[in-house]
Every structure is written in structure tokens, then in C-alpha cells.
Amino acid sequence: MSLQTVNALWAALPRPRFDDQNVLHLPGYEAHESKAIVARLVSDDLDAWSVAASRVGYCSNPVHLVGSSTTIDTTTGEVVSSYSSAEEPLGSTVVRCGNRRESVCPPCSRLYAADMFQLIRAGVRGGKTVPEQVADNPLVFATLTAPSMGQVHGTRDNGRRCRPHATGQPRCAHGRSTTCMAVHADGDEALGKPVCADCYDYASHVVWQWWAPELWRRFTITLRRILAQHLGVPATRQHEVVTVQYAKVAEYQRRGLVHFHALIRLDGPREAEGGFAPAPRQITATILARLVRDAVAAVRFTAPPVHDHDDVPRVLGFGSQVDARPVTTARRTDDPGAALSPEQVAGYLAKYATKAAADTTDHTNPHLRRIQRTADQLGRRVEDDWVATGRQGPLTDRPYGLLGKWAHELGFRGHFATKSRRYSITLGQLRRARRRAQQLVADANRRGETIDLAAMEAQLLAVDDDHTTTLVIGSWTYTHTGWDTPGDAALAKAAAAAAREHDQERAAQRKAETTKEK
Ligand SMILES: [Zn+2]
Ligand SMILES: [Zn+2]
Ligand SMILES: [Zn+2]
């Protein structure tokens, strides 16, 4: 075992202490964890373990597999390469869990966010096979909010009070005050909770959230129609003049409703220049921002009643608060006043994409629990109705058939991060490129050669067509998930945190250097 490995792992841990009984104690760890950590650090296969752990980026729940695969050239029948988990230092192949959620696996979530960042930035600045002139196309950062489902406590600008004035009666039907004189600070528990939970419309909250993906879809259709009107072309021929591309993420607000944050880009005709052609000159980012606001305001969807007897159709739309701002890239000059930089926007979106309802919401919060309960109850009624009417057609065909299944996400069934097809590249392309690069680096290491990955970027990102000539035959068995001992889990976690700190320091250093150069 190398001294360097041991030192690196020790450095990731708190300083050990020896207490009265001369027992090793690592602050912050239970005795059984400390013991398991030390056992790993003095084990013979420490090096093998640390290689496997670093290869999966110190993932919290790695997946262990055993088996082998052979790659065959189908034109010649020749075996190109073969690989077996038996060659691995630990005797099994360890792969990342790949979870996007920060609360589940911080390292995999960071990798996901980094890929999202690359994907989003490529659609703003170009790069990663996206032409750089895409930066000249009008781009808007928009936030689409949910409407009010009842008054909730909130923070106000300039230290103003929460709800000092009653809009109607000073007391609601439940005898509660409709005003709140508090000035809520940021971590205040009251934030996002209803002023009166009995006045709050939980059923509409769940119904809105359920149809939020449909509202987004209608927004994109409406925006295309408004663009056609603005350009004076028939809606059916709009794609011959402009195309709309976007990347969007959903983010839970404290009140338990999602907001959509989206980058919306206007390109030229779909068929020209690989889909990234210049947009018509008469639409600037400022005009696009206004058209986006008009489109958001115009979106309507009539949601059917959840059940037949005592519910009504609801006309749904987005909230009246719409933020749509031009994003200025270095090359674009049509709105120098806008302060949003592409890096900022890509960073926001990447960060939001790693959260789920369960992460942003606190399980003890009575408001969020009531939303979940409402979704659950409505879902159960839909199932009961279905059973009572003789199970006609599959339950999934009913508009609210799967509502109960999404109760844990507070009724939101959409994807957290989505993009239109030609926004930029795909996550799949980025992941395949990384795997190819890792393979090339490993091969070069073995041969003692150096390799210029930057020069190979386009090749690495190329859409895969080599399975036409090679065939991979493999047989793999899943053995288990997670680290084998609490010591290994603790070491992986500490090493991941240390690696993260190291990356942040390096990023700060780089930033300081570039500002100095300017
Ligand atoms: Zn992981
Ligand atoms: Zn308040
Ligand atoms: Zn009330």
C-alpha cells in the first residue's frame, strides 16, 4: 500500500484523538465506524480499494457487478478487446449509482450538475460541437410561476411587513386574521405556509401541479403562434422562418408549487445550418422577452374535474409574476443593460436540476404534508371511481389515474430537467464521451503515451455509429449496492468532501487568475 494513499485518506478525516481508555476516537464518527475506518486504512488491499473508490468518484451507493464482456469486429470476426471484472483490483466491477439528487449521492449529483452545466452553456455560447454563432441568436431567461392558491407568508423587499393590509374581511370564515404584521427573516418557519390552511385551496394546488407539464407544452405552442403573428407568417409555415429551442428545469417553491426556469433561444429555419441558423433580424432578445411574457399570460388549460360527482372543471394558467430577461453573451449587443451572464444562468439551472420535492421540502412541514395527503386522497378516489364503474379501460388512461403515485412529488409528474431536441447536445452524448475519454486515457497510460483529449472533442462527442461494425457480448450479474462496511462508506464520503473542497479551491484560484489577467 502506498504511503500517499494513506496520507490522502487520513487528510480527509478529522484529527483522531485518544481518550482516557486509549481508544482511538475520530470526532464525528461512532466507535464502530472509527474501528472500520482504521481496519480499512491498515488493510492489505487499501490501494485496490482506493483505486476503485476514486474511479467512481467516491459515489455514496456504488453498484457492484461481476462478469465479462468481449468486443468483436463483425466484419472480420476478430476479438477487438475483452474485459472481465476479475481483472479489477477488488475482483468486481464498481460503477457509479448515477443519481442526480444531491441528497442521495453528492458526488454523482455534482457530476450530473456539471454535465447539465456543459449542456446548457453549449446552447448559449456554442462549443461541444454546437457552432459558436449560436451566441448571436436572441436568448431569454424566463421564470414561469404558479398562481396563488391562497395567501401564504412571505418575505418582502426592504424589510416590509408580510401582509399588513387585509384584501377583504379582516377575519376569514374560520375566524383567523387575514393579515400578518411580521417581518419574516429568511429561515423563518412560517414562510410558504398559508395564513389560513383551511382557506387554502389544496385540491386546486394539486390539480395545477398535475397539469404543469401540459401548461408548459401549451406555452411553447402559444409562443410559436405569437412569433408567427409578429413576423406576419402563417402559423403552419413558422418553422420555415424561426424555431424555438429551450432548456428548462422545475424548482419547488417553499409553498410546494413548482416554478419553471427556462432558457429560450430563437434560431433560424430548422433545416438551415444544422438547426442553429441565425434568427430573423427583426426579433431581438428584448422583443423575444416581451413575446415570451405575452405567451405565458395567454396560456389556458381547462382541467377536467378530478371525479364526476362533486368536482368542477378548473381553468388553469401560469401565475401573473413572469420574469423574462434577455441574456447577454459577449458577442451580442442588443441589450447591454441586462446583467445575466450565460455562466450564471447555466449555473442556476444546473443547481436546480439536482433537487427533488423530497429535498426541498421538509417532511415535518404540515403544509407540504397536507398537499401530499390531498394528492394521495384524490388519487385514491380516482381509483375507487374506476373500480366502482367496473374498471372500464386501463386506470392509466384516466386523466388523474396515476395521481396517487406522484403524491410524494406533491403531484408533479414532469421531468426536472428537459430540453428541446436541438437546444444543444444531450446528456447521453456527454456521458458516452466521458466513457470513451476514460478508456483512451487508460489505454494511453498503459502504453506510456500522452493524449490530447481537447483535440479529440468532436470525435468523442460524435453520435455513436460504431456498433454497426463492433459487437459487444457480455454477461453481467449484479451483486450489491453500497460500500461493504461503514468504514468504507465513511472514507468515501470524507474523500468526496475533500475532493469537492479541492475543486472549489481550484475554481476560485482560476477565477482570481482570470480577473488579474483582465
Ligand atoms: Zn453515486
Ligand atoms: Zn406572515
Ligand atoms: Zn380561513
Side-chain angles (χ1 to χ4, degrees):
M1 114 188 58
S2 76
L3 193 60
Q4 207 187 349
T5 308
V6 183
N7 286 343
L9 288 171
W10 272 116
L13 294 167
R15 270 185 190 286
R17 284 206 313 263
F18 296 88
D19 66 17
D20 297 346
Q21 282 84 43
N22 283 329
V23 177
L24 175 73
H25 172 63
L26 290 170
Y29 292 102
E30 302 283 331
H32 75 283
E33 286 173 318
S34 297
K35 222 167 128 184
I37 288 168
V38 174
R40 170 55 76 201
L41 289 174
V42 299
S43 71
D44 287 340
D45 56 0
L46 172 65
D47 263 0
W49 182 85
S50 70
V51 166
S54 80
R55 222 181 265 163
V56 293
Y58 306 108
C59 167
S60 306
N61 299 295
V63 178
H64 302 254
L65 305 161
V66 290
S68 62
S69 56
T70 308
T71 308
I72 295 164
D73 187 326
T74 50
T75 48
T76 61
E78 185 194 350
V79 173
V80 182
S81 63
S82 60
Y83 167 78
S84 161
S85 58
E87 299 162 22
E88 292 293 337
L90 291 180
S92 71
T93 298
V94 189
V95 296
R96 281 174 171 274
C97 74
N99 200 296
R100 91 184 151 80
R101 286 169 55 187
E102 198 187 351
S103 59
V104 176
C105 180
C108 289
S109 158
R110 279 176 63 219
L111 188 67
Y112 176 86
D115 282 351
M116 279 295 290
F117 182 84
Q118 299 288 354
L119 180 159
I120 288 162
R121 192 175 57 178
V124 175
R125 283 239 154 135
K128 305 260 168 217
T129 70
V130 177
E132 265 173 32
Q133 64 267 26
V134 80
D136 294 332
N137 289 357
L139 184 74
V140 163
F141 183 59
T143 298
L144 282 62
T145 62
S148 169
M149 302 295 168
Q151 300 194 335
V152 294
H153 296 280
T155 52
R156 309 282 174 248
D157 292 338
N158 307 321
R160 283 182 297 127
R161 293 173 193 283
C162 175
R163 302 192 159 271
H165 309 293
T167 36
Q169 298 294 320
R171 290 198 176 269
C172 73
H174 311 95
R176 297 188 181 104
S177 171
T178 55
T179 59
C180 172
M181 300 311 241
V183 178
H184 299 294
D186 246 343
D188 194 328
E189 277 204 1
L191 289 173
K193 287 183 188 150
V195 174
C196 173
D198 296 313
C199 283
Y200 192 89
D201 189 351
Y202 284 95
S204 295
H205 180 128
V206 169
V207 169
W208 187 90
Q209 197 112 287
W210 183 246
W211 293 109
E214 175 62 17
L215 289 171
W216 172 267
R217 194 182 71 87
R218 285 178 180 235
F219 158 72
T220 60
I221 295 168
T222 309
L223 179 60
R224 288 188 184 103
R225 199 190 67 223
I226 288 180
L227 275 164
Q229 268 165 15
H230 186 87
L231 291 163
V233 294
T236 48
R237 300 186 54 192
Q238 160 260 315
H239 67 271
E240 294 171 22
V241 187
V242 280
T243 46
V244 177
Q245 301 297 342
Y246 66 83
K248 83 167 205 302
V249 296
E251 185 210 13
Y252 282 93
Q253 304 296 293
R254 270 189 289 239
R255 59 182 169 142
L257 282 160
V258 292
H259 281 181
F260 291 126
H261 301 281
L263 269 171
I264 300 164
R265 191 183 72 218
L266 205 65
D267 293 352
R270 191 189 296 165
E271 305 312 329
E273 297 181 38
F276 300 101
R281 290 206 157 271
Q282 63 265 48
I283 300 186
T284 61
T286 311
I287 293 172
L288 179 62
R290 195 186 54 179
L291 299 180
V292 164
R293 281 192 293 267
D294 291 349
V296 174
V299 172
R300 290 289 177 275
F301 172 67
T302 305
V306 180
H307 35 76
D308 308 333
H309 320 295
D310 52 358
D311 199 20
V312 289
R314 293 172 176 83
V315 178
L316 307 177
F318 285 105
S320 53
Q321 267 186 315
V322 188
D323 186 15
R325 277 189 276 172
V327 179
T328 316
T329 66
R331 291 168 57 122
R332 201 181 300 132
T333 53
D334 57 347
D335 192 335
L340 284 175
S341 80
E343 268 72 20
Q344 267 177 315
V345 174
Y348 282 149
L349 293 186
K351 184 178 65 98
Y352 293 143
T354 62
K355 311 272 188 228
D359 307 333
T360 26
T361 59
D362 157 14
H363 294 284
T364 60
N365 178 324
H367 173 57
L368 301 176
R369 280 171 66 169
R370 190 152 167 187
I371 300 166
Q372 193 173 342
R373 207 165 56 233
T374 306
D376 208 40
Q377 283 163 353
L378 291 174
R380 217 165 304 161
R381 271 200 74 171
V382 172
E383 278 190 59
D384 290 347
D385 280 359
W386 176 66
V387 172
T389 53
R391 300 174 196 260
Q392 282 168 9
L395 178 63
T396 47
D397 281 2
R398 305 213 158 192
Y400 298 93
L402 291 174
L403 178 56
K405 300 252 182 310
W406 294 94
H408 64 287
E409 293 286 357
L410 311 181
F412 181 63
R413 56 180 152 159
H415 289 288
F416 281 85
T418 51
K419 62 172 202 66
S420 57
R421 211 162 62 84
R422 285 173 206 247
Y423 171 76
S424 67
I425 47 168
T426 65
L427 280 178
Q429 266 175 293
L430 282 170
R431 288 177 185 145
R432 263 197 310 276
R434 182 165 46 240
R435 275 201 299 275
R436 286 172 183 167
Q438 281 166 348
Q439 188 60 49
L440 289 173
V441 169
D443 291 348
N445 271 343
R446 217 171 298 141
R447 291 193 301 262
E449 293 166 0
T450 52
I451 162 171
D452 184 357
L453 284 176
M456 301 173 73
E457 190 177 57
Q459 207 182 324
L460 290 170
L461 284 164
V463 177
D464 211 349
D465 54 5
D466 27 303
H467 5 252
T468 48
T469 55
T470 61
L471 178 68
V472 181
I473 301 170
S475 120
W476 290 92
T477 314
Y478 163 85
T479 63
H480 61 285
T481 300
W483 294 112
D484 292 343
T485 71
D488 288 358
L491 276 173
K493 195 173 163 195
R500 175 183 194 154
E501 221 166 87
H502 177 73
D503 286 353
Q504 281 169 341
E505 270 166 28
R506 257 200 345 201
Q509 218 170 10
R510 269 202 303 268
K511 204 170 165 189
E513 274 162 25
T514 47
T515 25
K516 225 185 284 166
E517 276 166 29
K518 279 176 193 165

